[in-house]
Amino acid sequence: MPTEKKPLSLADALKLFDLLTTDEAFRAAFQASPAEALVQVSADAAEAAVDCSMPGKLADATTLAAAREQLLQQFTTQAMFSLPHAFIDGGAAPRS
């Protein structure tokens, strides 16, 4: 049975972005297994990504930082992996 994707709390989303834009070890762990890496954020965040995987190469920290507000909005109102391209290289930039 598929797991329903849930939004992150604002606190979890902010911590996630801090780690994704400043911590290379976390970025590598997130690339390998989002749910396992998200244990560093919170148990709720890890649960929200339990069946998720990275669909490609993680975008660099600068690209993620540039899309921070748009992605924070997405992750706190819908779900972290409801737009699977959001984290990948070439996919994090806001689209017009």
Side-chain angles (χ1 to χ4, degrees):
M1 184 161 130
T3 303
E4 182 181 334
K5 294 180 181 180
K6 298 178 182 175
L8 294 177
S9 69
L10 180 57
D12 284 353
L14 289 169
K15 186 170 182 179
L16 170 61
F17 273 95
D18 288 344
L19 289 167
L20 284 173
T21 57
T22 64
D23 186 327
E24 287 302 318
F26 179 82
R27 289 173 52 78
F30 187 86
Q31 177 73 56
S33 174
E36 288 180 27
L38 285 166
V39 168
Q40 295 180 49
V41 174
S42 76
D44 288 340
E47 184 179 329
V50 71
D51 291 328
C52 299
S53 62
M54 282 297 299
K57 184 179 181 239
L58 182 63
D60 63 65
T62 303
T63 301
L64 289 172
R68 181 180 178 109
E69 294 306 314
Q70 178 186 13
L71 293 173
L72 282 173
Q73 174 70 23
Q74 174 71 29
F75 300 155
T76 58
T77 60
Q78 293 182 31
M80 188 168 41
F81 279 87
S82 63
L83 293 176
H85 70 276
F87 290 107
I88 63 171
D89 190 22
R95 299 174 191 262
S96 352

